[in-house]
Amino acid sequence: MTTPHPRSTPSLPAGHPVAASGAARIALAQIDPALGDVARNLALHEQAIAEAKRQQVDLVVFPELSLTGYYLRDLVPDVARSARCAELERLADVAGQTAAVVGFVEQDAHGDLFNSAAFLEDGVVRHVHRKVYLPTYGLFDEQRYFAAGHRVRAFDSRRFGRVGVVVCEDFWHLSVATVLQAERIDWLLCLANSPARGVREAEVRTANTYRHIAQTYAQLMGAYVAVCNRAGVEEGLCFWGGSFLAAPDGDIVAAAPPFDPHLLVVDIDGNAPRRARLQTPLGRDERLSVTLGELNRIQRRQYESE
């Protein structure tokens, strides 16, 4: 039987079972990609997926721009691919029934370039998220090379229910979390390339911030929150690794070691999000009409003051 290739991004057909229950196993593939070397990074992905499948993993999450490396600068156009590219087709085929989330530079039909993440499932690209918030401060200069995405949307996964995917800086913006809470997600997957900043007494301040944000989101959404951060050194910057998973009660249930490549495999209870939302139904009780009304008021005031 031939595995279908990811030539489109279909939603699940009507009546397709959407399950977010029962036991499952996920892996956070904390790799050290080579800058600008798509072929080498593709091989790293294949190796990680093969090992994850050997351990009967249901979902593998890779870091931001995992197929290309991060500090690409003028290499961005050279490594850009469409969402129907041969590399994603290859990974979808290799993964088979194991879902995978991959970071890549996406080029659309107009030639615009995006920092994107693709969710592969059952041999197709189920969903593509284009990074909305492009950091351009301090160490970062993304707006010079990438176009910003314009959508924050959840999607239905066959195995994991309702899923939201974000890329690094998106995770730091409350607007993204508000939208995904309204989408009533079961899983929030964050692909990151976070360098070590604010190192003090053997602790990385940015790593602590990611954990605090994840624990807060997990409790507010009643969802699993996975953060996969890359490892290694690139262009003189050290990435802290430390990928982790937060449960719907806010506990960090597993974490990878810092700095070095690692495949973190975690068993999870798919019923946990439902239990958390029954106990604390924050999403159910959210008053979106109030939020929208107040945001419209603030937007009108800002335009009137310009």
Side-chain angles (χ1 to χ4, degrees):
M1 180 176 179
T2 302
T3 302
H5 285 161
R7 303 191 184 280
S8 61
T9 56
S11 58
L12 292 173
H16 195 292
V18 175
S21 60
R25 179 171 290 178
I26 78 159
L28 304 183
Q30 183 174 289
I31 64 172
D32 177 9
L35 184 63
D37 193 338
V38 176
R40 180 179 175 184
N41 295 330
L42 179 63
L44 281 178
H45 284 66
E46 292 178 352
Q47 293 167 12
I49 290 172
E51 176 58 24
K53 291 177 71 174
R54 190 187 69 80
Q55 298 191 45
Q56 299 181 316
V57 164
D58 301 292
L59 169 66
V60 187
V61 184
F62 288 91
E64 176 184 13
L65 294 176
S66 56
L67 276 173
T68 64
Y70 182 72
Y71 281 100
L72 294 160
R73 299 185 177 90
D74 294 338
L75 291 176
V76 167
D78 298 334
V79 299
R81 303 289 192 271
S82 78
R84 301 180 179 182
C85 68
E87 289 84 2
L88 290 182
E89 288 187 0
R90 171 64 180 166
L91 290 178
D93 188 56
V94 168
Q97 297 300 306
T98 299
V101 194
V102 178
F104 71 112
V105 176
E106 181 191 4
Q107 180 170 319
D108 71 2
H110 304 289
D112 291 335
L113 304 172
F114 300 90
N115 182 340
S116 295
F119 188 97
L120 314 176
E121 185 178 46
D122 297 331
V124 300
V125 177
R126 184 72 64 200
H127 177 79
V128 173
H129 172 73
R130 294 170 174 172
K131 189 174 183 178
V132 174
Y133 292 100
L134 302 175
T136 306
Y137 57 82
L139 303 171
F140 309 107
D141 197 19
E142 290 191 29
Q143 289 184 31
R144 181 176 179 182
Y145 303 102
F146 295 107
H150 299 288
R151 295 179 177 177
V152 178
R153 295 184 180 177
F155 61 97
D156 291 324
S157 161
R158 173 181 59 81
R159 182 68 181 82
F160 290 92
R162 196 78 173 149
V163 179
V165 174
V166 299
V167 178
C168 208
E169 183 84 2
D170 295 338
F171 196 64
W172 291 62
H173 288 262
L174 290 173
S175 56
V176 173
T178 299
V179 171
L180 292 177
Q181 185 196 44
E183 287 269 30
R184 308 292 286 275
I185 61 173
D186 303 296
W187 281 85
L188 174 57
L189 308 176
C190 175
L191 288 66
N193 268 345
S194 179
R197 292 180 292 159
V199 179
R200 183 173 55 191
E201 295 181 358
E203 288 190 342
V204 179
R205 185 172 182 180
T206 46
N208 289 336
T209 302
Y210 265 97
R211 285 191 288 267
H212 291 321
I213 293 173
Q215 290 178 284
T216 300
Y217 286 172
Q219 287 184 293
L220 293 179
M221 297 180 185
Y224 279 104
V225 178
V227 174
C228 188
N229 186 40
R230 68 161 289 178
V233 176
E234 186 180 276
E235 297 293 282
L237 293 174
C238 179
F239 294 85
W240 50 266
S243 304
F244 63 88
L245 177 68
D249 61 4
D251 287 344
I252 302 294
V253 295
F259 303 114
D260 295 324
H262 185 80
L263 184 71
L264 178 68
V265 177
V266 190
D267 291 315
I268 62 98
D269 176 5
N271 292 308
R274 179 176 181 271
R275 289 197 302 269
R277 291 196 288 265
L278 285 173
Q279 182 176 1
T280 312
L282 299 178
R284 182 200 70 185
D285 296 344
E286 190 67 39
R287 299 180 62 191
L288 292 178
S289 59
V290 174
T291 302
L292 291 171
E294 292 304 300
L295 288 175
N296 285 332
R297 175 185 61 81
I298 294 167
Q299 185 182 50
R300 288 193 302 269
R301 185 183 67 195
Q302 288 179 340
Y303 278 118
E304 289 170 357
S305 65
E306 290 180 353

